[in-house]
């Protein structure tokens, strides 16, 4: 999507000199109270269908996203979108919110040609045939569902400095990472986006490839069912947190490509903080805590994980084995994620004791997503699958969310307090932040992975190595 469509802004990877890069908006500003945002739309850009990229088109895209995008909730703070002229979009909010982060989201923030929006409003399957309605550096030349996409350089692309090196990108679609690796090593393709983690070290020893790893927005956690005994007791949850073999989970589950989590915010994504405390495996302390909580003879617990997730399949047995050493017997059940999730949401009182979850934020604000979606109190569970309720925590994340758009440092401090509370109360064990691994043929120069757009390989800057 990021090769065909553009948002108003791009969010740069962690460590960049600037947090954002202009895209369709060439500049932006906000009011002091964070409730009014103004985006100046660049002149001269066109969609692939020839329509101008102007303020009206941006408003139509935002309105459509608010109304029917899968990630429409990211625009929830918006009260109205106004276009005082062809190059100005004024977004008025019901409450202060970080519209710069929202406008650079990898979901629900692409600016789409108004003609296509009108057509798709009448036919929800309009885009299924591979119809292209973006303004990015590539346009769709052909599309065979489940098999192949061919992208062609968009000659009228406004950003000449970022114009693609390759005129055509021929993309083969395969859901099997092993097949992708075989195609890469056989020279059938020049680049593969998915390689089995367990095979990466073999390729790292091959002089034809270079392996690089970067921050990613993905992390793993084990959510404890706090709605009933015995995991409604924080002392029991802390005991389990001390029993978990974090290093082994990263070594086996992540094949070494991960770092132990500091709470639910992934490394590199706001409001991640290395100052949030971590548990380390201490089986003696775990046994002491368990005995002090009234369980000297151990427990029996039920754990579920997503069977289609290879990392979870690798590390869940390590949790089961470690818990057995403190007298906790774990009944492990592997299910397709949708089945696992549906069962967890149905009735907390009869649901699993431990829900292993692979999670990532919808946009680059893990405060409004991970910290809120996973742990803020809710009457009907969605992703709060520990069913934890804490008025103190709710107050912290609610206040932080109102400051993210105006005083990000103050918001960071409040989110840090909230994550410290998660450490103390342990409604979940925070396992590891996964690293994004890229296997690059030595003949190619591929830009740095951007953790803010984890599902996009940006083809335009790829070029032959010098």
């Amino acid at each position: 999507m990021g090769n065909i469509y553009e948002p108003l802004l791009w969010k740069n990877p962690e460590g960049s000199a600037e947090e954002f890069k202009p895209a369709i908006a060439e500049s932006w500003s906000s009011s002091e109270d964070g409730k009014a945002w103004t985006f100046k739309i660049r002149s001269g850009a066109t969609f692939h269908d020839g329509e101008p990229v102007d303020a009206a088109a941006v408003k139509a895209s935002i309105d459509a996203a608010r109304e029917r995008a899968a990630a429409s909730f990211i625009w929830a703070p918006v009260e109205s979108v106004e276009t005082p002229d062809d190059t100005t979009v004024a977004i008025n909010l019901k409450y202060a919110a970080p519209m710069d982060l929202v406008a650079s989201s990898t979901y629900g923030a692409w600016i789409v040609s108004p003609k296509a929006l009108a057509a798709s409003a009448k036919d929800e399957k309009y885009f299924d045939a591979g119809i292209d309605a973006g303004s990015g550096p590539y346009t769709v030349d052909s599309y065979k569902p489940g098999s192949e996409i061919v992208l062609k350089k968009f000659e009228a692309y406004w950003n000449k400095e970022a114009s693609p090196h390759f005129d055509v990108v021929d993309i083969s679609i395969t859901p099997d990472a092993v097949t992708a690796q075989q195609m890469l090593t056989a020279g059938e393709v020049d680049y593969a986006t998915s390689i089995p983690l367990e095979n990466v070290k073999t390729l790292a020893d091959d002089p034809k490839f270079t392996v690089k790893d970067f921050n990613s927005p993905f992390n793993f956690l084990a959510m404890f069912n706090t709605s009933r005994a015995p995991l409604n007791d924080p002392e029991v949850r802390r005991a389990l947190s001390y029993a978990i073999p974090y290093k082994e989970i990263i070594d086996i589950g992540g094949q070494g490509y991960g770092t132990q989590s500091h709470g639910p915010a992934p490394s590199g994504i706001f409001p991640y903080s290395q100052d949030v405390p971590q548990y380390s495996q201490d089986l003696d302390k775990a046994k002491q805590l368990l005995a002090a909580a009234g369980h000297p003879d151990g427990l029996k617990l039920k754990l579920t994980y997503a069977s289609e997730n290879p990392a979870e399949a690798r590390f869940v047995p390590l949790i089961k084995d470690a818990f057995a050493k403190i007298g906790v017997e774990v009944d492990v059940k592997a299910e397709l994620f949708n089945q696992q999730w549906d069962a967890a949401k149905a009735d907390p009182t009869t649901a699993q004791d431990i829900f292993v979850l692979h999670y990532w934020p919808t946009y680059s604000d893990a405060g409004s997503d991970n910290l809120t979606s996973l742990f803020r109190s809710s009457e009907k569970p969605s992703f709060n699958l520990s069913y934890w309720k804490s008025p103190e925590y709710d107050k912290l994340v609610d206040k932080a969310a109102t400051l993210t758009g105006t005083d990000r440092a103050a918001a960071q401090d409040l989110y840090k307090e909230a994550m410290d509370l998660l450490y103390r109360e342990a409604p979940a064990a925070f396992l590891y932040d996964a690293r994004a691994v890229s296997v690059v043929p030595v003949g190619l120069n591929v830009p740095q992975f951007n953790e803010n757009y984890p599902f996009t390989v940006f083809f335009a800057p790829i070029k032959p190595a010098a």
Side-chain angles (χ1 to χ4, degrees):
M1 292 288 284
N3 295 287
I4 302 163
Y5 294 88
E6 298 175 290
L8 287 170
L9 314 174
W10 293 109
K11 178 81 166 60
N12 288 323
E14 185 192 39
S16 301
E18 301 290 338
E19 187 176 5
F20 297 96
K21 180 170 64 178
I24 284 176
E26 58 183 3
S27 66
W28 60 99
S29 61
S30 65
S31 62
E32 190 171 339
D33 65 1
K35 295 174 65 176
W37 289 73
T38 301
F39 294 87
K40 297 298 290 185
I41 308 306
R42 66 179 64 256
S43 300
T46 61
F47 292 105
H48 301 160
D49 61 8
E51 291 292 300
V53 179
D54 56 17
V58 171
K59 173 179 165 52
S61 282
I62 295 175
D63 286 345
R66 293 170 62 198
E67 179 183 335
R68 58 183 186 270
S72 60
F73 67 90
I74 69 173
W75 298 100
V78 176
E79 184 170 68
S80 66
V81 181
E82 298 173 1
T83 55
D85 58 54
D86 286 345
T87 61
T88 304
V89 174
I91 302 179
N92 302 305
L93 307 184
K94 291 173 275 190
Y95 49 87
M99 279 296 108
D100 46 2
L101 291 172
V102 172
S104 58
S105 169
T106 191
Y107 296 107
W110 304 116
I111 304 303
V112 182
S113 169
K115 277 188 177 178
L117 288 173
S120 65
K122 297 176 182 176
D123 177 5
E124 62 181 16
K125 296 184 178 180
Y126 176 77
F127 287 108
D128 289 0
I131 292 173
D132 165 13
S135 61
Y138 282 104
T139 183
V140 176
D141 189 52
S142 65
Y143 173 54
K144 296 177 183 176
S147 173
E148 180 186 76
I149 304 172
V150 177
L151 302 181
K152 185 173 66 176
K153 178 180 178 179
F154 179 41
E155 297 294 346
Y157 184 47
W158 62 268
N159 189 350
K160 300 305 179 189
E161 293 182 0
S163 185
H165 175 85
F166 292 107
D167 291 345
V168 175
V169 180
D170 192 342
I171 304 166
S172 296
I173 302 171
T174 172
D176 180 7
V178 173
T179 301
Q181 178 186 342
Q182 292 170 341
M183 294 173 74
L184 178 67
T185 55
E188 297 175 19
V189 296
D190 296 303
Y191 186 65
T193 59
S194 180
I195 300 289
L197 269 187
E198 57 270 32
N199 297 342
V200 167
K201 288 181 179 174
T202 301
L203 294 176
D205 295 331
D206 188 329
K208 292 184 293 186
F209 301 101
T210 300
V211 175
K212 300 178 180 179
D213 61 289
F214 306 92
N215 285 336
S216 90
F218 306 109
N219 60 11
F220 291 90
L221 56 164
M223 307 190 77
F224 301 137
N225 187 340
T226 66
S227 71
R228 64 166 192 261
L231 298 183
N232 59 346
D233 183 347
E235 201 78 326
V236 177
R237 303 196 298 264
R238 285 190 281 269
L240 297 182
S241 297
Y242 275 116
I244 288 175
Y246 298 95
K247 182 179 184 306
E248 287 78 4
I249 285 175
I250 294 169
D251 288 345
I252 303 299
Q255 295 292 294
Y257 292 103
T259 55
Q260 187 180 341
S261 300
H262 288 267
S267 176
I269 303 288
F270 175 82
Y272 170 80
S273 170
Q274 287 191 345
D275 295 329
V276 174
Q278 299 169 310
Y279 288 88
S280 57
Q281 190 182 33
D282 185 336
L283 295 177
D284 290 337
K285 190 164 188 174
K287 288 178 183 175
Q288 292 169 8
L289 289 173
L290 211 53
H295 304 284
D297 298 324
L299 300 166
K300 289 186 178 180
L301 300 174
K302 177 183 174 183
L303 178 151
T304 64
Y305 75 93
S307 57
E308 67 269 44
N309 189 306
E312 293 181 10
R314 286 192 293 264
F315 71 66
V316 162
L318 300 173
I319 296 176
K320 178 182 174 72
D321 292 347
F323 282 6
K325 294 176 182 175
I326 62 168
V328 175
E329 182 182 336
V330 179
D331 175 22
V332 172
K333 186 174 184 180
E335 301 174 292
L336 291 173
F337 175 76
N338 284 341
Q339 296 172 353
Q340 180 199 17
W341 191 30
D342 286 345
K345 291 186 293 183
D347 183 358
T349 63
T350 58
Q352 75 296 322
D353 295 297
I354 304 172
F355 188 107
V356 174
L357 178 65
H358 181 213
Y359 197 80
W360 61 94
T362 304
Y363 66 102
S364 299
D365 180 358
S368 69
D369 194 333
N370 300 40
L371 270 72
T372 302
S373 301
L374 297 177
F375 296 106
R376 196 191 183 287
S377 304
S378 60
E379 291 305 316
K380 188 176 180 181
S382 178
F383 277 105
N384 182 351
L385 301 174
S386 61
Y387 321 112
W388 186 59
K389 294 181 180 179
S390 166
E392 180 185 1
Y393 181 86
D394 295 349
K395 187 176 179 182
L396 287 168
V397 296
D398 288 352
K399 179 64 175 175
T402 65
L403 293 173
T404 304
T406 55
D407 188 345
R408 209 154 289 174
Q412 171 80 56
D413 289 343
L414 290 170
Y415 280 132
K416 166 68 168 47
E417 284 188 52
M419 289 189 281
D420 288 346
L421 184 58
L422 290 176
Y423 169 79
R424 295 194 300 275
E425 291 294 313
F430 302 100
L431 304 178
Y432 72 96
D433 300 341
R435 300 284 290 170
V437 179
S438 178
V439 177
V440 181
V442 294
L444 277 185
N445 187 338
V446 177
Q448 176 182 348
F449 177 85
N450 187 336
E451 67 270 16
N452 302 290
Y453 305 96
F455 304 106
T456 297
V457 173
F458 293 97
F459 293 118
I462 294 179
K463 60 184 67 173

